[in-house]
Amino acid sequence: MRFLRPVDLAREHGISTQAVRNYEQDGCLPPADRTESGYRAYTAVHAAALRAYLALLPAHGYAVSGQVMRALNTGDADAALTAIDRGHAQSLRDRETLDTVEVALADLAPSAGSAPRPPTGTKGFSVGELAHRLGVTAATLRNWERAGILVPRREPLSGRRSYSADDLRDAELTLLLRRGGHRLDRIRTIVEQIRTAGGTQALHAALGDWRKALTTRGLAMLSASVEVARYVELLGIDAPWAARSAGRQRPVRDAEATPPSHPPSHPRSPSACPLFPGS
């Protein structure tokens, strides 16, 4: 069996040997055997694990990627697949949200006859009425107001907030964009543009960037699936790593841990995988 040093795994991806050791310590790589001198002796299984983990990062982020690898390394394939499934489900929800926002874009300046109207007999929506319509809390609406997104009118006598049909439009759009992960300051810019006649450029740009990010993440998920599948194949779905490694007690001789002098013939950089912003 050919054994690898931390530097061999690190060189393939352009990362530090300390990063490799940290990944093992965090459970993202299976435990390595030790030589008689105490040095780590990695194998092709560890190299595949590192490829899988680095491919998962741009697709699912650090937390989920670590969760997937730790599950696989302890033989819990179901937990790993569940975490991956959640990521795909979230991506689908994001795409559906984006489609909804794009449809809503066509209705940003509704005619007076088609615009949503406040309850009959009132001059506007109250905080409670608007919160109920959107399925959010009144505190959320006040937070959006503090961020400059909503600008409700105040009743002259009571001082209570009164939300118009335009406020409802802005609030619905804010809710959709928040679900898509946009920051409040970015949403404020979009809403301010919308309030200006013909000022939808910011929204169009945000939707375009959002779709590009979803496409990039989707492609990263495909790349990650390939590497994870290869790693699972090496582990054996019916032979978890923990069960197989329990019987390996033989110490590795230093001579066995000496890798060939040449670098890997097919280096793979994690930068080759598309990055998902904010991962």
Side-chain angles (χ1 to χ4, degrees):
M1 179 183 294
R2 176 191 172 190
F3 293 99
L4 305 171
R5 301 169 303 177
V7 67
D8 301 304
L9 270 64
R11 185 187 297 125
E12 180 180 352
H13 304 280
I15 61 179
S16 68
T17 56
Q18 185 59 51
V20 175
R21 289 189 287 266
N22 289 343
Y23 294 154
E24 180 189 346
Q25 182 179 353
D26 293 340
C28 299
L29 303 184
D33 281 327
R34 296 280 182 158
T35 68
E36 294 172 342
S37 301
Y39 293 105
R40 289 175 171 86
Y42 293 120
T43 67
V45 173
H46 296 91
L50 183 57
R51 294 186 194 106
Y53 177 63
L54 294 179
L56 282 166
L57 290 179
H60 297 278
Y62 284 97
V64 174
S65 298
Q67 181 182 351
V68 170
M69 296 304 297
R70 283 187 289 271
L72 289 176
N73 293 334
T74 56
D76 194 347
D78 284 340
L81 293 174
T82 297
I84 293 173
D85 287 345
R86 287 198 185 101
H88 285 282
Q90 181 60 58
S91 182
L92 176 60
R93 287 193 296 270
D94 289 344
R95 288 188 179 278
E96 291 172 343
T97 299
L98 174 59
D99 292 339
T100 301
V101 174
E102 289 179 334
V103 171
L105 180 59
D107 299 323
L108 288 180
S111 62
S114 61
R117 305 310 308 169
T120 304
T122 66
K123 296 182 180 180
F125 297 96
S126 68
V127 171
E129 290 166 342
L130 185 58
H132 178 73
R133 183 183 181 101
L134 297 178
V136 301
T137 64
T140 296
L141 295 179
R142 296 188 185 98
N143 187 37
W144 293 352
E145 181 181 346
R146 285 192 294 271
I149 296 171
L150 299 181
V151 189
R153 185 176 61 87
R154 293 280 185 164
E155 295 292 345
L157 298 179
S158 64
R160 294 177 179 175
R161 295 171 175 83
S162 178
Y163 297 88
S164 66
D166 288 343
D167 293 325
L168 170 61
R169 175 205 65 199
D170 295 343
E172 288 178 334
L173 183 59
T174 299
L175 179 61
L176 290 171
L177 292 176
R178 285 294 285 167
R179 285 176 54 197
H182 288 270
R183 302 189 308 272
L184 290 179
D185 57 344
R186 175 62 170 158
I187 295 174
R188 182 182 65 247
T189 300
I190 295 170
V191 172
E192 288 174 348
Q193 290 265 346
I194 292 170
R195 292 196 188 112
T196 303
T200 59
Q201 294 88 348
L203 180 58
H204 282 292
L207 296 181
D209 292 343
W210 187 4
R211 188 168 292 282
K212 289 178 182 177
L214 287 175
T215 298
T216 298
R217 188 185 184 200
L219 293 175
M221 285 178 167
L222 289 178
S223 298
S225 296
V226 172
E227 296 297 344
V228 171
R230 289 172 177 166
Y231 181 50
V232 169
E233 183 178 2
L234 283 177
L235 291 180
I237 197 66
D238 295 324
W241 173 267
R244 297 198 313 171
S245 62
R248 292 190 299 134
Q249 303 295 334
R250 181 180 64 86
V252 182
R253 291 166 37 175
D254 288 346
E256 293 177 313
T258 303
S261 58
H262 57 80
S265 57
H266 298 286
R268 175 187 174 89
S269 169
S271 64
C273 296
L275 297 178
F276 181 60
S279 293

